[in-house]
Amino acid sequence: MPMIDVFVPEGALTQQAEQDLMNKITRAMIRFEGLDPDDPEAQAVTWAFLHHAAVFVGGTPATAPHYRVLVCLPEGLVTNARVQEVVTAITDMVLAAEQGAWDRDPSRVWVLPLDVPEGRWGAGGRIVDLREVVLFARGGDEPTANRVAREWLSASRSERYAAPPA
């Protein structure tokens, strides 16, 4: 159930390229969550917003398109290794959407995967916790979903706050 915001400079991509890009990013994020991108239920809770924006680099208008993609996910849903896959895949999708109109320069694409802390994901007028996401994504029973959610949150926090290698 990611929330996706894609910022594209006006006119950088064709309308069809924008639509294709939004579809590809959405399907990829559903897959990264371990769900079937063709599942109508998974599609229904995966929203993507396309924003057209003026981009300034160093305070002056950019001379080439620059893109920003924000992907908000419930905390604990993906590992650091999986986050790297998300960044790489989305960067490649954005550059491919340009269809060769610009030099293929990954530094023009920023992908910001954001973990929304447990207890802070609001949907439908209420807080949705990781246990509910696990139940939705994996099915099963409440005790198993509770255990899996605790394990994923613990692993995510351990990974995030581990001391860097010396």
Side-chain angles (χ1 to χ4, degrees), residues 103-127:
D103 288 339
R104 189 172 177 85
D105 181 0
S107 69
R108 294 187 292 107
V109 182
W110 286 14
V111 180
L112 307 172
L114 306 171
D115 279 350
V116 176
E118 178 68 354
R120 298 292 192 263
W121 192 275
R126 64 185 189 78
I127 297 298

Side-chain angles (χ1 to χ4, degrees), residues 45-155:
V45 296
T46 305
W47 296 5
F49 299 85
L50 175 62
H51 308 272
H52 290 115
V55 179
F56 292 75
V57 175
T60 61
T63 58
H66 287 66
Y67 306 87
R68 182 174 69 170
V69 180
L70 304 175
V71 182
C72 297
L73 299 159
E75 178 186 14
L77 204 55
V78 294
T79 64
N80 283 348
R82 203 71 164 151
V83 167
Q84 179 59 61
E85 291 177 41
V86 166
V87 169
T88 300
I90 291 176
T91 299
D92 289 343
M93 289 176 206
V94 170
L95 293 173
E98 291 184 325
Q99 301 171 350
W102 299 91
D103 288 339
R104 189 172 177 85
D105 181 0
S107 69
R108 294 187 292 107
V109 182
W110 286 14
V111 180
L112 307 172
L114 306 171
D115 279 350
V116 176
E118 178 68 354
R120 298 292 192 263
W121 192 275
R126 64 185 189 78
I127 297 298
V128 177
D129 61 19
L130 187 58
R131 173 195 52 83
E132 290 178 84
V133 174
V134 170
L135 276 171
F136 173 80
R138 310 254 185 234
D141 55 65
E142 286 276 340
T144 301
N146 286 335
R147 179 184 52 77
V148 168
R150 278 193 312 272
E151 288 172 2
W152 286 3
L153 282 169
S154 177

